[in-house]
């Protein structure tokens, strides 16, 4: 592992350092493999997922469990999204001729990668003053939580988070509006061989058995997020992934017949709750999204920390889960149109 300060660096040859170097080497090889095997889209997708997993392990090594969970869950959602999109594309990309173009692409990609690596190394190996000390000092007394990352997201920069979930919600609603009523041309799917068993029995059984556990994990991550790794964003992704697994295992019609959920209402409820939490502070003559917290003592339970930011985080949870489900289910719900010729 490379360590250093003030421009110096040393290599640690401990077993842990060798293991870390090996893991990062696997990530680098997978990244290179993605570029080499880009024509085989299924192989490239697996390699991209492996790169994301290595990045998640890197966050965990750097004592950033919140970032690790977020990266891992976003990676899962991204892979599902790419699988849905690639379903309507040929399994292989067309061959591009010309050595000059290939050489140009290699030079541009190599220069960009080396430049980014040099910039990151320069930043990490030089002393710098950051605002992290302020957040570490003020998170508990002013935000009422010991998980500094979550306190920053729902308190210190809550207005930014509100804007981010609004953008995510608008993007999901736009995907839904564009794909509603859309039919995939028949010639797009004509070369695809139908799967012998679209919904294997073992996958269906396991996914339904794991659903209650996944819901419990989502609730657990949400409730602990203000003081321990978790929060509304992570919990919303866990809920979305658990429901997406049901779509994959049992099909759209089976899930929607039993769930009967309108994800647009989830988005609306989340945005209203998040914005309403901020507006509530105006009634007490405080700036928008100013939070407060209490520590009531309940009989037989003891002291229970309650922060107003929890309701804002609940809005984030609903908006993230609803947006993810609305966007991906809209893509997965696409159906082929009536048979037509390519010229049509």
């Amino acid at each position: 592992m490379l360590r250093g300060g003030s421009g110096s660096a040393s290599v640690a040859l401990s077993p842990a350092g060798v293991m870390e170097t090996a893991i990062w080497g696997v990530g680098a090889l997978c990244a290179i493999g993605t570029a080499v095997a880009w024509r085989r889209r299924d192989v490239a997708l697996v390699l991209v997922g492996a790169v994301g997993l290595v990045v998640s392990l890197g966050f965990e090594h750097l004592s950033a469990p919140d970032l690790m969970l977020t990266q891992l869950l976003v990676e899962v959602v991204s892979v599902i999204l790419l699988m849905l999109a690639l379903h309507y594309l040929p399994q292989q990309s067309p061959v591009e001729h010309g050595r000059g173009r290939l050489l140009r692409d290699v030079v541009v990609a190599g220069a960009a990668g080396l430049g980014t690596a040099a910039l990151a190394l320069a930043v990490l190996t030089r002393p710098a003053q950051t605002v992290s000390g302020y957040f570490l000092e003020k998170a508990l007394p002013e935000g009422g939580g010991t998980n500094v990352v979550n306190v920053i997201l729902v308190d210190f920069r809550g207005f930014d988070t509100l804007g981010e979930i609004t953008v995510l919600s608008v993007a999901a609603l736009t995907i839904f509006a564009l794909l509603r009523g859309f039919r995939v041309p028949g010639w797009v799917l004509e070369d695809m061989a139908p799967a012998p068993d679209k919904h294997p029995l073992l996958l269906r059984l396991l996914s339904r058995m794991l659903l209650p556990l996944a819901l419990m994990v989502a609730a657990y991550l949400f409730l602990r997020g203000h003081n321990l790794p978790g929060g509304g964003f992570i919990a919303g992704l866990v809920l979305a992934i658990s429901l997406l697994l049901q779509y994959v295992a049992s099909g759209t019609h089976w899930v929607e017949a039993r769930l009967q959920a309108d994800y647009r209402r989830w988005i609306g409820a989340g945005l209203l709750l998040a914005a309403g939490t901020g507006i509530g502070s105006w009634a007490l003559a405080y700036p928008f999204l100013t939070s407060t917290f209490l520590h009531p003592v309940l009989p037989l339970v003891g002291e229970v920390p309650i922060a107003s930011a929890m309701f804002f985080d609940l809005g984030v949870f609903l908006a993230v889960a609803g947006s993810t489900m609305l966007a991906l289910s809209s893509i997965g719900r696409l159906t082929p149109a009536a048979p037509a010729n390519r010229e049509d």
Side-chain angles (χ1 to χ4, degrees), residues 223-243:
L223 293 174
R224 78 198 293 257
H226 209 55
N227 294 290
L228 293 169
F233 188 88
I234 293 174
L237 289 178
V238 171
L239 174 61
I241 291 172
S242 64
L243 294 178

Side-chain angles (χ1 to χ4, degrees), residues 151-265:
V151 172
I152 292 174
L153 292 176
V154 301
D155 192 320
F156 292 120
R157 58 177 293 268
F159 193 75
D160 290 338
T161 303
L162 178 60
E164 291 166 0
I165 63 173
T166 301
V167 171
L168 179 63
S169 302
V170 171
L173 291 170
T174 302
I175 293 174
F176 172 78
L178 291 174
L179 297 182
R180 187 177 187 180
F182 178 77
R183 296 293 183 268
V184 180
W187 58 266
V188 174
L189 304 176
E190 65 183 8
D191 296 330
M192 298 182 183
D197 189 1
K198 295 178 61 176
H199 307 297
L201 176 61
L202 181 59
L203 180 60
R204 280 181 286 163
L205 291 176
L206 289 177
S207 64
R208 296 173 192 179
M209 291 173 58
L210 290 175
L211 180 59
L213 177 61
L215 297 179
M216 182 179 66
V217 171
Y220 174 71
L221 290 172
F222 170 75
L223 293 174
R224 78 198 293 257
H226 209 55
N227 294 290
L228 293 169
F233 188 88
I234 293 174
L237 289 178
V238 171
L239 174 61
I241 291 172
S242 64
L243 294 178
L244 288 171
L245 180 59
Q246 305 307 310
Y247 277 88
V248 173
S250 301
T252 301
H253 297 294
W254 185 90
V255 176
E256 294 184 349
R258 288 156 178 79
L259 187 59
Q260 295 182 352
D262 188 347
Y263 303 121
R264 294 171 296 177
R265 294 186 178 182

Side-chain angles (χ1 to χ4, degrees), residues 29-344:
L29 290 176
C30 289
I32 296 173
T34 303
V36 173
W38 64 274
R39 292 190 62 244
R40 291 285 306 277
R41 290 168 173 166
D42 53 346
V43 176
L45 182 58
V46 172
L47 294 175
V48 167
V51 174
L53 178 60
V54 170
V55 174
S56 301
L57 294 175
F59 284 137
E60 173 61 23
H61 171 69
L62 296 173
S63 301
D66 284 276
L67 290 177
M68 183 271 292
L69 288 171
T70 302
Q71 170 68 28
L72 185 61
L73 294 169
V74 169
E75 197 69 33
V76 173
V77 173
S78 299
V79 169
I80 296 175
L81 174 62
L82 290 172
M83 288 175 62
L84 289 171
L86 293 178
H87 174 69
Y88 302 103
L89 296 174
Q91 294 185 3
Q92 291 191 1
S93 300
V95 179
E96 295 184 0
H97 301 284
R99 294 184 178 274
R101 180 173 180 176
L102 177 61
L103 179 61
R104 180 203 63 186
D105 293 343
V106 170
V107 171
V108 171
L114 292 175
T116 303
L119 181 62
L121 182 63
V123 172
L124 295 175
T125 56
R126 282 165 174 75
Q129 294 182 349
T130 68
V131 296
S132 58
Y134 172 83
F135 291 124
L136 291 172
E137 179 183 354
K138 300 294 184 180
L140 182 58
E142 295 189 6
T146 56
N147 183 7
V148 181
V149 174
N150 186 262
V151 172
I152 292 174
L153 292 176
V154 301
D155 192 320
F156 292 120
R157 58 177 293 268
F159 193 75
D160 290 338
T161 303
L162 178 60
E164 291 166 0
I165 63 173
T166 301
V167 171
L168 179 63
S169 302
V170 171
L173 291 170
T174 302
I175 293 174
F176 172 78
L178 291 174
L179 297 182
R180 187 177 187 180
F182 178 77
R183 296 293 183 268
V184 180
W187 58 266
V188 174
L189 304 176
E190 65 183 8
D191 296 330
M192 298 182 183
D197 189 1
K198 295 178 61 176
H199 307 297
L201 176 61
L202 181 59
L203 180 60
R204 280 181 286 163
L205 291 176
L206 289 177
S207 64
R208 296 173 192 179
M209 291 173 58
L210 290 175
L211 180 59
L213 177 61
L215 297 179
M216 182 179 66
V217 171
Y220 174 71
L221 290 172
F222 170 75
L223 293 174
R224 78 198 293 257
H226 209 55
N227 294 290
L228 293 169
F233 188 88
I234 293 174
L237 289 178
V238 171
L239 174 61
I241 291 172
S242 64
L243 294 178
L244 288 171
L245 180 59
Q246 305 307 310
Y247 277 88
V248 173
S250 301
T252 301
H253 297 294
W254 185 90
V255 176
E256 294 184 349
R258 288 156 178 79
L259 187 59
Q260 295 182 352
D262 188 347
Y263 303 121
R264 294 171 296 177
R265 294 186 178 182
W266 292 18
I267 294 174
L271 293 178
L272 286 175
L273 187 57
T277 304
I279 294 174
S281 60
W282 287 348
L284 301 175
Y286 285 99
F288 182 68
L289 281 175
T290 300
S291 64
T292 185
F293 55 92
L294 301 172
H295 292 268
V297 179
L298 302 180
L300 304 178
V301 177
E303 183 178 357
V304 178
I306 300 177
S308 62
M310 179 181 66
F311 301 100
F312 178 85
D313 212 16
L314 179 59
V316 174
F317 169 77
L318 291 173
V320 169
S323 299
T324 304
M325 291 303 304
L326 182 64
L328 271 66
S329 64
S330 297
I331 301 174
R333 200 181 290 112
L334 293 176
T335 56
N341 297 325
R342 291 179 181 267
E343 290 77 6
D344 296 336

